[in-house]
Amino acid sequence: MTGVPASAAGGASGARRAAAGAAAAPPAASGQVSARSAEGSASGAGRAATADAGHGEAAGSGSGPDVGPAGAAAAGPGAGEPVLEETPGVGAQDEGKTPRGKKIAAAAVNEASVWNIANLLTMLRLVLVPAFVALMLADGGYDPAWRAFAWAAFAIAMITDLFDGHLARTYNLVTDFGKIADPIADKAIMGAALICLSALGDLPWWVTGVILGRELGITLLRFLVIRYGVIPASRGGKLKTLTQGVAVGMYVLALTGWLATLRWWVMAAAVVLTVVTGLDYVKQAIVLRRQGIAERKAALEEKEA
């Protein structure tokens, strides 16, 4: 026995092991290991002094923290590696945003999708409007041959109106351009035909006024109540469109005899359907608006509660 307490020897050996651990540690973590070694030796020396009182656990507690390779690992994950601090919320923001390149590509796809078969048919109807007017008024507007050509242009426009909407809905070709241009093309070709017929004296102006007034009024009404919902097209509205097209087409042709009488009755049926379906749309718009206001009021009350 040399008279040196075992705890003191343990403290010294702890310091030596700490120094050896610091030498073996990676260069990037040498500063942290040295600090821990100094702290361990100081702690070991303090506990060695306390061990002179004869406590049985002095040898175990006075050795201090063992900062070797295993001790460096126990100090925490990645102690020898540089810690990169992550900015909160950056990852979430990056995930929620669409890269600029993808936005440009999506815009290009949407722009290209305008040139689909449904929109091309709508554009054809728009081009046929001035062509129809020119053919209708050619040679004073009373030449049967020119009227026949005008009827062909009108018939093509009305037939394409049946197909473009069906194609757009069936093959998912609905675009913002189509939503705006399709009703404009419909009103343009019908309005041009009615105005030409009235200007030539073949159709009373009040008939033209009733039909065009109804069409423009319902279109405006749809825009006014669109915040509350969409007024769906009814069977009566589709029948009205078909009857109007047949009646106007018969008036465009230079018909005589019983066919001229028949077209008068067809036009009378078209006018009746125009008025009845127009009143029905007004009723639907009023109901839709009341429902929308009630739903918004209920949602507001629920939110406040």
Side-chain angles (χ1 to χ4, degrees):
M1 293 290 292
T2 60
V4 179
S7 60
S13 64
R16 285 195 298 272
R17 287 195 299 273
S30 59
Q32 298 177 359
V33 174
S34 299
R36 293 179 181 273
S37 300
E39 182 183 354
S41 59
S43 173
R47 284 193 294 271
T50 310
D52 290 337
H55 295 289
E57 57 183 11
S61 61
S63 59
D66 191 1
V67 189
E81 300 176 358
V83 179
L84 300 178
E85 190 170 315
E86 184 178 355
T87 305
V90 173
Q93 292 177 0
D94 291 343
E95 292 178 359
K97 292 182 179 179
T98 304
R100 184 177 182 83
K102 291 185 177 181
K103 288 184 178 180
I104 296 175
V109 171
N110 291 336
E111 186 68 21
S113 66
V114 172
W115 301 96
N116 58 59
I117 184 63
N119 288 342
L120 290 176
L121 291 176
T122 301
M123 295 176 193
L124 175 62
R125 292 210 316 279
L126 290 172
V127 173
L128 284 174
V129 173
F132 167 80
V133 173
L135 293 170
M136 188 71 181
L137 300 179
D139 198 13
Y142 297 102
D143 189 327
W146 288 110
R147 294 282 286 259
F149 286 122
W151 176 87
F154 180 81
I156 293 173
M158 297 304 295
I159 291 172
T160 55
D161 181 34
L162 300 176
F163 283 103
D164 61 354
H166 175 73
L167 290 173
R169 290 186 297 269
T170 303
Y171 298 101
N172 195 23
L173 301 176
V174 178
T175 61
D176 292 336
F177 172 80
K179 294 177 183 178
I180 297 173
D182 183 70
I184 292 176
D186 296 342
K187 306 298 185 295
I189 190 65
M190 183 61 68
L194 290 170
I195 292 173
C196 286
L197 289 172
S198 295
L200 294 172
D202 293 339
L203 189 68
W205 276 105
W206 69 267
V207 174
T208 299
V210 168
I211 295 177
L212 293 184
R214 184 267 187 197
E215 299 299 331
L216 296 177
I218 295 303
T219 301
L220 178 61
L221 187 63
R222 287 178 181 272
F223 280 109
L224 291 177
V225 301
I226 195 171
R227 68 181 69 179
Y228 305 109
V230 178
I231 304 176
S234 62
R235 292 183 179 179
K238 295 178 180 179
L239 180 61
K240 178 268 308 177
T241 302
L242 177 62
T243 308
Q244 281 184 359
V246 173
V248 172
M250 294 179 71
Y251 268 87
V252 170
L253 289 172
L255 299 178
T256 57
W258 67 273
L259 289 176
T261 304
L262 177 63
R263 71 182 182 182
W264 187 91
W265 287 105
V266 176
M267 180 60 73
V271 171
V272 171
L273 288 172
T274 298
V275 175
V276 172
T277 55
L279 294 176
D280 181 63
Y281 275 117
V282 172
K283 179 183 176 181
Q284 291 186 51
I286 294 174
V287 173
L288 186 62
R289 181 176 180 274
R290 288 178 179 176
Q291 291 178 350
I293 293 176
E295 290 176 358
R296 288 189 176 185
K297 185 177 180 181
L300 183 60
E301 292 177 353
E302 183 179 355
K303 183 177 180 181
E304 291 178 352

